Amino acid sequence: MLPYRSLILIDKKASLPVYQQIAHQLIRLVQKGHLQPGTALPSTRDMASFLSVHRKTVVAAYEELFIQDWVESQPRKGFIVSPQLPELKPRSFRKEAKVASYSSNTGFDLTPLKLHLPIPLHGDYRWVIDDGFPDGRIIPTDSILKAYREYFSHHNGKAPVMNASGALSLRSELATFLNNTRGLSIEPHHILITHGAQMAIYLTARLLLRPGANVLVGTPNYFYADRIFQQAGARLIRIPVDENGIDVDAIARYCRTKKPDLLYIIPHHHHPTTVTLSAERRMQLSSLIQQYHFPVLEDDYDYDFHYSSSPILPLASTDHGGRIIYIGSLTKLLSPTIRLGYLIAPQNFIEEATCYRRLMDIRGDHMLEEVMAMLFKRGEIQRHIKKSVKLYHQRRDHFAQRLQEDIGDAITFRKPDGGLAAWVQFHKKHSLPAIAARARTMGLSISNGKNYSSGPESLNGLRMGFASLNEMEIESALALLRNSL
Amino acid sequence: MLPYRSLILIDKKASLPVYQQIAHQLIRLVQKGHLQPGTALPSTRDMASFLSVHRKTVVAAYEELFIQDWVESQPRKGFIVSPQLPELKPRSFRKEAKVASYSSNTGFDLTPLKLHLPIPLHGDYRWVIDDGFPDGRIIPTDSILKAYREYFSHHNGKAPVMNASGALSLRSELATFLNNTRGLSIEPHHILITHGAQMAIYLTARLLLRPGANVLVGTPNYFYADRIFQQAGARLIRIPVDENGIDVDAIARYCRTKKPDLLYIIPHHHHPTTVTLSAERRMQLSSLIQQYHFPVLEDDYDYDFHYSSSPILPLASTDHGGRIIYIGSLTKLLSPTIRLGYLIAPQNFIEEATCYRRLMDIRGDHMLEEVMAMLFKRGEIQRHIKKSVKLYHQRRDHFAQRLQEDIGDAITFRKPDGGLAAWVQFHKKHSLPAIAARARTMGLSISNGKNYSSGPESLNGLRMGFASLNEMEIESALALLRNSL
């Protein structure tokens, strides 16, 4: 008999139940050939005594093996290892020792891509000041779990009809929600549900841009949008951004010389500076679009969060002849763990974008889409927006006050009207990369600001998300920041 | 007072609770200005009588309004509409009637893309014979729900550390699983979790292919892989596929003239033909890779399903110096609603692929990734594989027998050794597109076969998934197919 006592190790503190630990280790012994087909297992009483566990635990482990066909029950003999093992052993086709072929780097030439994307540093910091995320801890988890349960019981009978544009139920709810909140006039077939708003930017770039295309973007601009357009082969034409948003006069001057292939704008809480495009400039821009007929990508990721002033209806709500691709995000509404965005466009664009999406992704998360549709239907999302606007309003005020008190001398910043982050620039004598490096050693993760400067000159600034931390956490994080100066 | 009786409509059969229906409709009345700030609501008793509902229902509705700040409680007056409404009304910047700018098509020129992808027909068919999906109805939903619950309670305190390569927990479990089942020798940093295996193909194409690149593919080949390579600007070099898989002699002949930029292979249950690349050819191919150093994309989407013969270890398990990108799918293991795939490669490739993934998608579904990691850890996935292999084995046999009996005269087909679909070719005199069209009118959705022919000549064949239907359903679906001949 095998020395089970030493072969099977039990960790009573592990999250895996003990009976499963025993079952798994017995399976490994069979797989490795230590327990041959036909071998009888010790009686449950003996095994329990070898392993110092309750006999019922061994009974449960043996039952698990029986369900999985690893053992058979034989009269008088008890359990024996199945003569026919339930898995087909893979055949090797080369006699060689196990090789770690992936341990060295690939020799493929990856340089032509020039992505220059820093991989975010991951670590277990005490505090993380993010780029402007919602607080995932306040989402209605009970309702979400309930909706998952309903999804499973509903689809137990028949496979769901899945659509690469997204679940029809979610597109219907979203059409109503966007028509009510943004003054749009759309139907479900004007919507493509994406895996996050980023995918909507990527798809638009792939559909509209060819190498050499001219894309007007703000300076500074959302870092990843710039990289997406460049990957599609486009040239970036930089348009200044001031306290009223992107400079529409500068856009007009460009249009008089050349038709842009795309204009990318972030009308509310511009990334990174958080400024809002004024109503006057929106009117001007709306006329320009009607005059010059160029495509516009309106990235209104932060529309639902306003504290001090009303949101302004998007350009997409005006008469633009289908030239504005409008995108938004449910991730920003709920939690960074919920990756859902949407793209609004004329039907022929949505169809083509859906085709392209199938190439890179087949389709979205049908389960999550249906769950979100149920939450919309029950008003849970609308209610969550109210609740979070109230909470983030308080957090913004608290954050702004403490920031001023703690490091006001070292920075310039504007309390944002809405959104989930503030734009904070350090005075020249305080180097942000040095501060960020010091902060990390103290357990606080903040950006070093590199991603926020689109020109050669460093803005020495960063976005500081205030929504995902509560007031106590904000205080602790800012105290560490002060010590990092 | 407003005529509440006629303004508020209650549908007792709706899934939305009645109190929420009342609350929502009252909110709409406030939003539309019918109920002005300061107006007193009828007492709960009166409102209950107007609407013929229980008074407790009205109390619940008013409480909902109170929580959401739409009403305030005033001594002696009861509830009044809040003088300060909880939402900031959006400002319009143009005086114009609501316009349906999206109703016409966009005038953008989308033709250069030439995607030529048919959008799948969605409809409520009685039966759908798919391309080879698992049966989502048999997944361990209780365990999945339990894991979601644990995820929420675990992350209630602190935001999760999210990684664009995928949750570390899932990459660790997957490394162990793949090392055990595929003879690989990898660590978590050799894995990128993708949103479905399709994304892994797309990322590989974007990283390795430049316009004019030469990609060797089978003929026929997985339709979407061809389109992905073409989108990246590659030329497809067609290599014949026979009953032993892709013709390695033909690959060798090509290599003697030119180094391919990529070879795409599907070693188990080739798509569409379901043939398996023989051990002899794998040995030959392995030598070729060592000799000519070209990159290989090994798409082993169907490895876990074998019924009549053992799986053969992948090429990725041999000594290839990091030249094989190996991809697989959890979607195929569990359910089409669970979109998770993986890409295995050397660390520098994984890092670059993660960067590119951030451009198009930021990151994956952290929640789903953690849930799947828990299922792996508890052995639930491994157990589910055993259970489904057993079940799909029976379904394959039943399907093959009924197919032969029902329409054997009209077709040529080979019972597949494994996988989730059979490759069925109709004799010339039976036009598959015509059969598919007739079947649809009878409530059976099957492919018209267009996507399976990569050359100009139609193969008049289709993949018929047998795994997602039970034996009764297979019989009903095949009976309809017989009637469509």
Side-chain angles (χ1 to χ4, degrees):
Chain A
M1 194 187 296
L2 287 177
Y4 292 104
R5 202 186 305 266
S6 58
L7 282 175
I8 295 179
L9 303 173
I10 291 168
D11 176 2
K12 295 206 170 165
K13 286 187 197 140
S15 70
L16 196 68
V18 171
Y19 84 92
Q20 283 191 31
Q21 295 183 33
I22 299 172
H24 289 191
Q25 293 182 63
L26 285 170
I27 291 171
R28 292 306 301 273
L29 291 176
V30 176
Q31 286 176 322
K32 287 185 174 166
H34 298 313
L35 269 174
Q36 286 291 324
T39 313
L41 291 181
S43 70
T44 52
R45 191 182 306 273
D46 287 350
M47 187 63 111
S49 134
F50 296 154
L51 305 180
S52 310
V53 297
H54 196 281
R55 196 178 148 200
K56 276 189 184 161
T57 309
V58 177
V59 171
Y62 283 10
E63 268 173 7
E64 176 75 23
L65 295 177
F66 181 70
I67 290 167
Q68 291 192 35
D69 284 345
W70 291 101
V71 299
E72 285 181 7
S73 163
Q74 289 215 335
R76 265 166 305 164
K77 268 186 147 176
F79 286 109
I80 64 157
V81 178
S82 300
Q84 286 233 313
L85 286 182
E87 56 176 8
L88 293 164
K89 279 215 179 222
R91 282 176 285 161
S92 183
F93 58 91
R94 276 224 150 179
K95 286 223 170 54
E96 58 186 16
K98 203 158 184 174
V99 283
S101 285
Y102 290 109
S103 59
S104 61
N105 276 348
T106 170
F108 311 149
D109 184 15
L110 301 172
T111 48
L113 274 180
K114 293 193 194 106
L115 290 177
H116 299 313
L117 292 177
I119 294 190
L121 287 169
H122 295 290
D124 210 2
Y125 297 105
R126 259 181 77 202
W127 308 113
V128 175
I129 295 185
D130 61 38
D131 186 62
F133 283 142
D135 190 342
R137 297 170 297 187
I138 65 165
I139 60 173
T141 52
D142 285 344
S143 309
I144 293 175
L145 283 170
K146 192 173 155 228
Y148 270 107
R149 223 170 5 248
E150 285 176 47
Y151 178 86
F152 283 132
S153 64
H154 184 74
H155 288 298
N156 243 357
K158 203 179 165 187
V161 175
M162 287 177 295
N163 191 311
S165 320
L168 181 59
S169 57
L170 181 56
R171 286 182 291 132
S172 304
E173 292 294 333
L174 210 47
T176 308
F177 174 74
L178 297 176
N179 290 343
N180 286 344
T181 56
R182 271 100 165 144
L184 301 184
S185 178
I186 56 167
E187 296 179 63
H189 62 263
H190 298 124
I191 304 182
L192 168 63
I193 307 289
T194 56
H195 193 241
Q198 183 92 355
M199 187 178 276
I201 306 178
Y202 185 87
L203 284 169
T204 304
R206 285 287 158 191
L207 257 61
L208 291 183
L209 305 180
R210 303 286 151 259
N214 293 306
V215 179
L216 308 190
V217 296
T219 179
N221 187 34
Y222 174 47
F223 176 80
Y224 282 106
D226 282 353
R227 292 296 164 284
I228 290 171
F229 301 142
Q230 285 172 329
Q231 264 303 305
R235 288 196 315 136
L236 303 180
I237 317 288
R238 299 271 175 204
I239 306 287
V241 172
D242 61 28
E243 67 278 13
N244 289 312
I246 200 162
D247 181 348
V248 178
D249 283 336
I251 298 173
R253 280 195 299 276
Y254 183 88
C255 288
R256 282 196 287 275
T257 63
K258 207 166 176 183
K259 181 174 166 183
D261 294 296
L262 185 66
L263 164 67
Y264 174 73
I265 55 165
I266 312 168
H268 280 112
H269 322 131
H270 170 258
H271 196 288
T273 68
T274 78
V275 298
T276 289
L277 186 63
S278 69
E280 296 67 34
R281 289 203 179 163
R282 286 176 198 236
M283 276 179 65
Q284 247 184 300
L285 190 49
S286 183
S287 304
L288 272 187
I289 297 165
Q290 287 182 350
Q291 191 179 347
Y292 294 105
H293 304 303
F294 53 89
V296 178
L297 180 54
E298 184 174 24
D299 182 354
D300 213 2
Y301 74 109
D302 234 358
Y303 181 90
D304 300 285
F305 297 108
H306 283 84
Y307 318 123
S308 331
S309 63
S310 316
I312 310 177
L313 287 178
L315 282 165
S317 70
T318 63
D319 187 7
H320 54 77
R323 279 180 209 95
I324 298 183
I325 317 292
Y326 182 78
I327 68 182
S329 163
L330 294 184
T331 304
K332 288 281 176 188
L333 274 186
L334 293 160
S335 165
T337 58
I338 291 172
R339 302 273 324 137
L340 280 176
Y342 49 85
L343 184 154
I344 312 298
Q347 188 171 5
N348 67 336
F349 190 92
I350 294 294
E351 284 170 4
E352 201 74 6
T354 302
C355 278
Y356 200 96
R357 192 252 179 87
R358 287 183 69 78
L359 285 190
M360 54 192 238
D361 192 36
I362 298 280
R363 78 180 82 79
D365 293 280
H366 186 260
M367 202 157 55
L368 184 61
E369 290 170 5
E370 290 279 12
V371 163
M372 288 300 136
M374 287 187 233
L375 294 196
F376 264 116
K377 195 167 179 193
R378 288 166 194 160
E380 294 270 7
I381 306 262
Q382 299 83 334
R383 187 189 210 186
H384 181 73
I385 293 175
K386 295 226 172 60
K387 181 174 150 191
S388 39
V389 165
K390 209 161 158 183
L391 184 68
Y392 299 158
H393 189 163
Q394 289 164 5
R395 288 184 181 175
R396 179 202 63 164
D397 291 346
H398 188 73
F399 172 83
Q401 195 194 333
R402 296 307 299 239
L403 189 69
Q404 189 60 49
E405 285 171 21
D406 281 358
I407 59 165
D409 295 348
I411 56 167
T412 314
F413 91 103
R414 224 182 108 266
K415 190 162 142 178
D417 282 353
L420 308 176
W423 171 239
V424 179
Q425 279 182 290
F426 281 82
H427 298 159
K428 282 260 159 66
K429 64 176 176 181
H430 299 285
S431 151
L432 178 53
I435 295 169
R438 274 196 299 277
R440 278 171 193 276
T441 65
M442 289 192 254
L444 168 69
S445 167
I446 59 166
S447 164
N448 62 14
K450 273 194 180 166
N451 284 359
Y452 299 119
S453 311
S454 32
E457 194 200 1
S458 163
L459 298 174
N460 210 37
L462 81 163
R463 282 168 66 90
M464 294 181 77
F466 50 75
S468 58
L469 300 175
N470 66 31
E471 302 193 359
M472 295 272 290
E473 291 165 343
I474 286 171
E475 287 178 24
S476 307
L478 289 183
L480 284 184
L481 180 57
R482 189 185 55 227
N483 293 338
S484 313
L485 285 190
Chain B
M1 194 189 297
L2 289 177
Y4 291 104
R5 203 186 304 266
S6 58
L7 282 174
I8 295 179
L9 302 172
I10 289 167
D11 176 1
K12 294 205 172 168
K13 284 186 197 140
S15 70
L16 197 66
V18 170
Y19 83 93
Q20 283 190 30
Q21 295 183 33
I22 299 173
H24 289 190
Q25 292 181 66
L26 284 170
I27 291 171
R28 293 305 301 272
L29 291 176
V30 176
Q31 284 176 324
K32 286 184 174 167
H34 298 313
L35 269 173
Q36 285 292 322
T39 314
L41 291 182
S43 71
T44 51
R45 191 181 307 273
D46 287 352
M47 188 62 110
S49 133
F50 296 154
L51 306 180
S52 310
V53 296
H54 197 281
R55 196 179 149 200
K56 277 190 184 162
T57 309
V58 177
V59 171
Y62 283 11
E63 268 173 9
E64 175 76 21
L65 295 176
F66 182 70
I67 290 168
Q68 292 192 35
D69 284 344
W70 291 102
V71 300
E72 285 180 7
S73 164
Q74 288 215 336
R76 265 166 306 166
K77 269 185 146 175
F79 286 109
I80 65 156
V81 177
S82 300
Q84 287 231 316
L85 286 182
E87 56 175 6
L88 293 164
K89 279 215 179 227
R91 284 176 283 161
S92 185
F93 58 92
R94 279 225 147 176
K95 286 223 170 54
E96 57 187 15
K98 202 158 184 173
V99 284
S101 284
Y102 290 108
S103 59
S104 62
N105 276 349
T106 170
F108 311 149
D109 183 15
L110 301 172
T111 45
L113 273 182
K114 292 191 195 113
L115 289 178
H116 300 313
L117 292 177
I119 295 190
L121 287 170
H122 295 290
D124 212 1
Y125 298 103
R126 260 182 76 205
W127 308 113
V128 176
I129 294 184
D130 59 40
D131 185 64
F133 284 142
D135 190 342
R137 297 171 296 186
I138 65 164
I139 60 174
T141 53
D142 285 343
S143 309
I144 293 174
L145 283 169
K146 191 173 156 230
Y148 270 107
R149 220 167 11 246
E150 286 176 46
Y151 177 87
F152 282 132
S153 65
H154 183 74
H155 289 298
N156 243 357
K158 204 180 165 185
V161 175
M162 286 176 296
N163 191 311
S165 320
L168 181 59
S169 57
L170 181 56
R171 286 183 291 134
S172 303
E173 292 294 334
L174 211 47
T176 307
F177 174 74
L178 296 176
N179 290 343
N180 286 343
T181 56
R182 272 100 163 144
L184 301 184
S185 178
I186 56 166
E187 296 180 61
H189 62 263
H190 298 123
I191 304 182
L192 168 63
I193 307 290
T194 57
H195 194 240
Q198 183 93 353
M199 186 178 277
I201 306 178
Y202 185 87
L203 283 169
T204 304
R206 285 287 159 193
L207 257 62
L208 291 183
L209 305 180
R210 304 287 150 256
N214 294 306
V215 178
L216 309 190
V217 297
T219 179
N221 187 33
Y222 175 46
F223 176 79
Y224 282 106
D226 282 353
R227 291 297 164 282
I228 290 171
F229 301 141
Q230 285 172 329
Q231 265 303 304
R235 288 196 314 136
L236 303 180
I237 317 288
R238 299 273 176 203
I239 307 287
V241 172
D242 60 30
E243 68 278 11
N244 290 311
I246 200 162
D247 181 348
V248 179
D249 283 336
I251 298 173
R253 280 195 298 278
Y254 183 87
C255 288
R256 282 195 286 273
T257 63
K258 209 168 175 182
K259 182 175 165 182
D261 294 295
L262 184 67
L263 164 67
Y264 174 73
I265 55 166
I266 312 168
H268 281 112
H269 323 131
H270 170 260
H271 196 290
T273 66
T274 78
V275 296
T276 289
L277 186 63
S278 69
E280 295 66 34
R281 289 203 180 164
R282 286 177 199 234
M283 275 180 66
Q284 246 185 302
L285 190 49
S286 181
S287 304
L288 273 186
I289 296 165
Q290 287 182 350
Q291 189 180 350
Y292 293 105
H293 304 303
F294 53 89
V296 177
L297 180 54
E298 183 173 23
D299 183 352
D300 213 3
Y301 74 108
D302 233 358
Y303 181 89
D304 300 284
F305 297 108
H306 283 85
Y307 317 122
S308 331
S309 63
S310 317
I312 310 178
L313 287 179
L315 282 165
S317 70
T318 63
D319 187 7
H320 54 78
R323 280 180 208 95
I324 299 182
I325 318 291
Y326 182 78
I327 68 182
S329 163
L330 293 184
T331 305
K332 288 283 174 185
L333 274 187
L334 293 160
S335 165
T337 59
I338 291 173
R339 301 275 321 140
L340 281 176
Y342 50 84
L343 183 154
I344 312 297
Q347 189 171 6
N348 67 336
F349 190 92
I350 293 294
E351 283 171 4
E352 201 75 7
T354 302
C355 278
Y356 199 97
R357 192 254 178 85
R358 287 183 70 77
L359 285 190
M360 56 192 237
D361 190 37
I362 297 282
R363 78 179 83 79
D365 294 279
H366 186 261
M367 203 156 56
L368 185 60
E369 289 169 7
E370 290 279 11
V371 163
M372 287 301 136
M374 287 187 236
L375 294 195
F376 264 115
K377 196 168 176 191
R378 288 166 194 159
E380 293 271 8
I381 306 260
Q382 298 84 332
R383 190 188 206 183
H384 181 73
I385 293 175
K386 294 226 172 61
K387 183 175 150 189
S388 37
V389 165
K390 209 161 155 182
L391 185 68
Y392 300 158
H393 189 162
Q394 289 163 5
R395 288 184 181 175
R396 179 202 63 165
D397 291 345
H398 189 73
F399 173 83
Q401 194 194 334
R402 296 307 297 240
L403 188 69
Q404 189 59 48
E405 284 169 22
D406 280 357
I407 59 164
D409 294 347
I411 56 168
T412 315
F413 91 105
R414 224 181 108 268
K415 190 161 142 179
D417 282 352
L420 308 176
W423 171 240
V424 179
Q425 280 182 289
F426 281 82
H427 299 158
K428 283 259 160 67
K429 63 176 177 181
H430 300 284
S431 151
L432 178 52
I435 295 169
R438 275 197 298 275
R440 279 172 192 278
T441 64
M442 290 192 252
L444 168 68
S445 168
I446 59 167
S447 164
N448 62 14
K450 273 195 180 165
N451 284 359
Y452 300 118
S453 311
S454 32
E457 193 200 359
S458 162
L459 297 174
N460 210 35
L462 81 163
R463 283 167 66 89
M464 295 181 76
F466 51 75
S468 59
L469 300 174
N470 66 32
E471 302 193 359
M472 294 272 289
E473 291 165 344
I474 286 171
E475 287 176 23
S476 308
L478 290 182
L480 284 184
L481 180 57
R482 190 185 53 227
N483 293 338
S484 311
L485 286 191

